[in-house]
């Protein structure tokens, strides 16, 4: 089970960090249908990447080489960050972003809960 947990959460971390890079390179991917990229959108994408990239890196390092005791708090923080991403997506009318972030949050938070119960 531990291998599955690490693989699933590493995939979520890579997806989150990777999507932030895609948003910087191709901003139209992060916009709701019909939305134009303005100064606020550029700021949002930069701010998202500034948070997502380090959090994804820390999550990967802790899962792959860090102490097991650090996994629960890191996964909890990463999961809550994804909940925040889902709320932002919903508020911006980007329903695919909101839905995918809820799913990713559930993976992190369920894993943290499972590890805590062990």
């Amino acid at each position: 089970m531990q291998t599955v947990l690490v693989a699933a959460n590493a995939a979520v971390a890579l997806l989150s960090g990777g999507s932030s890079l895609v948003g910087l390179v191709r901003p139209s991917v992060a916009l709701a249908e019909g939305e134009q990229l303005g100064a606020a959108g550029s700021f949002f994408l930069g701010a998202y990447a500034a948070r997502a990239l380090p959090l994804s890196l820390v999550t990967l390092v802790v899962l792959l080489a860090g102490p097991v005791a650090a996994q629960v708090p890191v996964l909890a923080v990463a999961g809550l960050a994804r909940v925040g991403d889902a709320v932002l997506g919903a508020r911006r009318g980007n329903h695919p972003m909101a839905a995918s972030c809820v799913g990713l949050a559930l993976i992190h938070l369920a894993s943290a809960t499972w590890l805590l119960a062990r």
Side-chain angles (χ1 to χ4, degrees):
M1 180 64 163
Q2 185 72 16
T3 303
V4 172
L5 182 138
V6 168
N9 284 283
V12 170
L14 287 170
L15 183 62
S16 179
S19 66
S20 72
L21 288 176
V22 169
L24 290 175
V25 175
R26 286 194 55 209
S28 62
V29 173
L31 300 176
E33 182 150 344
E35 186 178 19
Q36 298 294 318
L37 182 66
S42 292
F43 176 80
F44 171 78
L45 292 171
Y48 176 71
R51 192 251 326 137
L53 289 172
L55 184 55
S56 295
L57 181 62
V58 166
T59 303
L60 285 170
V61 168
V62 167
L63 286 170
L64 300 174
V68 174
Q71 289 178 352
V72 170
V74 167
L75 290 173
V77 168
L80 292 173
R82 309 275 180 280
V83 169
D85 294 342
V87 170
L88 288 172
R91 289 188 64 199
R92 294 184 55 80
N94 190 332
H95 301 295
M97 175 186 172
S100 62
C101 288
V102 166
L104 298 177
L106 287 174
I107 292 170
H108 280 329
L109 295 173
S111 297
T113 301
W114 184 81
L115 285 169
L116 193 61
R118 277 183 52 209

